Amino acid sequence: MKTKLTKKEICLSIITTLVSFTVLIGVMMLMMLINLVNVELGLKDFIFHQYKNIITVVTAVALLMCIVYIYMFFENRSLLAQYSKIMEIYLLLCIALLLCNVVGKFVYSTARPLLFFALMAAMILKRKDAIFMNIVFALTIFIFNRFLNSSDVTLGPDTLPDGAYGSIKMVESFSSLLTCFCCGIIGIIVLKRIKTRIGCVMLALLLLGPVILINLVVQLPTNLALDEALDIVMYSAFDCVLSVLAFMFLLPVFEGMFSELTPFRLRELTSDHAKLISRLKSNAPGTYNHCIVVAQLAEMCATAIGEDSELARAAAYYHDVGKLKNPEMFAENQSEYDLHKELTPELSVDIIRSHTRDGAKLIKKNRLPEIFADVAVQHHGTLPIKYFYAKALKMSDGELNIANYSYAGPTPTTKIAAIIMIVDAAEAATRSLPDRSPEKVERLVNNLVEERMNQEQFVDCNITMRELTIITRTVVNGLTGVYHSRVAYPKLTLKKR
């Protein structure tokens, strides 16, 4: 996570925030215009009569956006350095406000998809940030409704002759505030655990109870009639269903526009039908099988130390796609003959180490997530290619510069890249062991991790000794399970029945 912003980044983040805030105010103007449909009053006259309320709303929302910036500056500065992320948050805020306003105006106030923003925020932000932004959304829509979309506000001499232009009653404003706050947080917490589309549908049913309860309890003092209570129940259900449907419809759009790595997107990228995975399976089957095992182990390690397991799994699938350029030059794709026997060690090293750069280029060419390219180029760090270095030493009379026989780096900059570095080496080395007993595998993995520590491969990824110990233990358990021993089959030929 980025902990310090340059002056340039701060200035650009402020400019991006101001532009996004201007767009948000423009959307609120559009919402006012929508509210004046079927009302014999133009926008100009409305602004003239309601300029005090408009100033209040703009000032209050501006203060909220200042609080958002301050919060991000102290809690998640890396987000402020991602200008597209700032625009994405404001775009989501605009869409959610506009959608709620349209439904409230033309359908029913209780039917507004108030939970849509919370569900989307849960997918594109970390949990803490999503909860905070959901609170900001709840306050924003409350402020707008109370000052510019209220049907029962007390009218003074400078206001309109009647309040018919508003569609939200005071009690409905408070019920929507509680719905956004309480049910939105429930949705964020639960959605983080959901990995399937059908789970999102079940989420709508889960949220239905709290939404109905809040709407009924808050509006209970208004002496609800039975038919009004039934309307509230029906439109509360509509709120939950519409929120989930809008979420499922717009999430792929945001995934494409802003390269969001949601669990759904990551699973699509690791499908056998994904372009590069399909090519890997057809042209480099040995590498493909290696990537599958590495992905499973990386997922286990990421879960063990609290990292994003879905992201680790997906990145591991793509860490060796650079081998597609010369698949036959890598041991796992060769049959019996080693093509490197015909080459000098120097040429072999160039071919082997180029797969990290080739992988990053291929990933970027196919417009895949940047972190996949980072892992592809970092998973060998600056380690030497020992096999060909040793071969070159035998053919040389003097000392050799080991840097000429090493990967170009850089070293891992994230914990996920560090995990994949360890798992990749451990899986490949374990395959070469004649004895794959748990003790031998544990000794091998410990030596690999210690070697990488001595070579300062983890200095840039902020990984702790405790986490390395957990990763080592997890890799050993995983590899022992993958390469477990079996009882030898008896040499017995069965007769045909």
Side-chain angles (χ1 to χ4, degrees):
M1 180 183 290
K2 197 176 183 71
T3 57
K4 189 175 182 180
L5 295 175
T6 64
K7 291 181 179 179
K8 181 181 178 181
E9 288 174 331
I10 292 174
C11 290
L12 288 175
S13 66
I14 291 174
I15 292 171
T16 305
T17 300
L18 289 174
V19 171
S20 301
F21 171 72
T22 304
V23 173
L24 177 61
I25 296 302
V27 168
M28 288 188 170
M29 295 291 289
L30 177 60
M31 291 162 62
M32 288 190 292
L33 190 61
I34 292 171
N35 290 338
L36 292 174
V37 174
N38 301 324
V39 177
E40 295 181 0
L41 186 71
L43 181 61
K44 184 178 179 180
D45 293 330
F46 176 82
I47 294 174
F48 176 77
H49 286 288
Q50 295 291 304
Y51 72 92
K52 292 181 180 179
N53 285 4
I54 292 173
I55 291 172
T56 299
V57 170
V58 172
T59 304
V61 174
L63 286 172
L64 278 176
M65 297 309 114
C66 286
I67 294 299
V68 170
Y69 189 90
I70 293 170
Y71 169 84
M72 293 301 176
F73 186 83
F74 286 102
E75 295 295 328
N76 191 358
R77 293 184 186 180
S78 60
L79 189 146
L80 293 179
Q82 304 172 48
Y83 315 118
S84 62
K85 195 74 171 182
I86 298 173
M87 292 187 287
E88 181 182 13
I89 292 171
Y90 275 87
L91 176 61
L92 178 59
L93 194 59
C94 291
I95 291 174
L97 288 171
L98 196 57
L99 190 58
C100 287
N101 191 73
V102 170
V103 174
K105 173 67 178 179
F106 298 106
V107 182
Y108 196 79
S109 58
T110 310
R112 290 171 297 162
L114 297 168
L115 305 178
F116 163 72
F117 182 88
L119 299 180
M120 288 292 293
M123 285 288 103
I124 68 174
L125 297 171
K126 294 181 179 179
R127 179 182 294 173
K128 183 172 65 174
D129 297 337
I131 291 174
F132 177 79
M133 287 307 305
N134 180 60
I135 295 171
V136 171
F137 168 73
L139 291 173
T140 302
I141 198 168
F142 177 79
I143 291 167
F144 179 84
N145 286 337
R146 289 313 307 141
F147 289 97
L148 294 176
N149 192 23
S150 176
S151 63
D152 55 3
V153 70
T154 303
L155 301 173
D158 294 330
T159 57
L160 293 172
D162 59 59
Y165 62 90
S167 59
I168 309 297
K169 298 177 182 178
M170 181 182 291
V171 68
E172 291 169 342
S173 293
F174 284 100
S175 66
S176 64
L177 180 65
L178 280 175
T179 299
C180 285
F181 182 80
C182 300
C183 301
I185 291 177
I186 293 173
I188 290 169
I189 293 172
V190 174
L191 190 59
K192 283 293 186 181
R193 302 173 182 271
I194 292 177
K195 305 297 182 183
T196 62
R197 307 279 183 182
I198 190 64
C200 297
V201 177
M202 300 304 296
L203 179 60
L205 298 177
L206 175 66
L207 293 172
L208 182 57
V211 171
I212 292 175
L213 179 64
I214 288 172
N215 282 311
L216 284 176
V217 169
V218 173
Q219 299 188 45
L220 191 62
T222 61
N223 298 319
L224 286 173
L226 179 60
D227 58 337
E228 291 176 324
L230 291 176
D231 283 343
I232 288 176
V233 172
M234 180 179 67
Y235 285 116
S236 294
F238 189 84
D239 171 7
C240 296
V241 172
L242 184 57
S243 294
V244 172
L245 288 178
F247 160 73
M248 294 179 69
F249 176 77
L250 287 174
L251 183 61
V253 177
F254 275 73
E255 287 173 346
M257 287 177 60
F258 299 99
S259 300
E260 285 294 342
L261 293 178
T262 65
F264 311 120
R265 175 66 174 153
L266 290 172
R267 296 210 168 189
E268 291 170 0
L269 291 175
T270 55
S271 164
D272 281 352
H273 301 293
K275 184 179 178 180
L276 289 183
I277 301 300
S278 179
R279 284 181 57 191
L280 204 62
K281 187 176 182 180
S282 302
N283 302 336
T287 301
Y288 170 76
N289 288 316
H290 163 71
C291 288
I292 288 177
V293 178
V294 170
Q296 292 172 344
L297 294 173
E299 184 177 15
M300 292 165 57
C301 292
T303 301
I305 66 170
E307 286 293 302
D308 189 333
S309 60
E310 293 281 350
L311 182 57
R313 175 176 173 270
Y317 261 90
Y318 286 85
H319 80 282
D320 266 348
V321 293
K323 293 181 179 180
L324 282 170
K325 188 173 182 179
N326 295 296
E328 70 282 353
M329 302 303 294
F330 297 88
E332 67 266 25
N333 300 313
Q334 295 172 350
S335 52
E336 295 181 359
Y337 185 71
D338 182 5
L339 295 175
H340 289 284
K341 291 179 179 179
E342 303 174 4
L343 306 177
T344 63
E346 290 75 19
L347 185 54
S348 292
V349 164
D350 284 340
I351 293 171
I352 296 299
R353 68 182 170 192
S354 67
H355 86 272
T356 58
R357 298 190 304 272
D358 292 337
K361 290 177 182 177
L362 197 56
I363 287 167
K364 291 177 181 178
K365 182 180 178 182
N366 285 268
R367 297 181 180 179
L368 292 169
E370 188 73 23
I371 189 172
F372 290 5
D374 292 340
V375 169
V377 81
Q378 294 171 11
H379 75 278
H380 285 295
T382 55
L383 291 168
I385 305 172
K386 291 191 291 185
Y387 179 86
F388 293 109
Y389 178 62
K391 183 177 178 181
L393 283 175
K394 290 180 181 179
M395 298 171 62
S396 174
D397 295 331
E399 292 186 0
L400 298 174
N401 185 357
I402 195 171
N404 295 331
Y405 298 85
S406 301
Y407 286 97
T411 56
T413 56
T414 63
K415 292 181 182 180
I416 286 177
I419 288 172
I420 293 174
M421 169 184 270
I422 295 169
V423 173
D424 173 69
E427 196 279 335
T430 303
R431 283 178 183 266
S432 65
L433 283 178
D435 178 9
R436 296 169 183 167
S437 63
E439 295 77 16
K440 295 283 187 181
V441 174
E442 183 176 8
R443 189 178 304 116
L444 174 67
V445 177
N446 282 327
N447 289 338
L448 287 171
V449 173
E450 185 177 353
E451 179 183 60
R452 278 146 185 77
M453 289 175 62
N454 293 335
Q455 294 294 314
E456 298 183 341
Q457 299 299 299
F458 304 129
V459 294
D460 296 322
C461 62
N462 197 31
I463 197 166
T464 65
M465 284 296 300
R466 178 178 178 275
E467 289 170 334
L468 285 173
T469 302
I470 293 172
I471 290 169
T472 301
R473 190 184 307 124
T474 305
V475 172
V476 171
N477 292 337
L479 287 173
T480 303
V482 172
Y483 300 115
H484 56 277
S485 60
R486 288 181 177 271
V487 176
Y489 282 85
K491 295 180 180 180
L492 179 64
T493 302
L494 300 177
K495 295 181 180 180
K496 185 178 181 180
R497 290 182 179 180

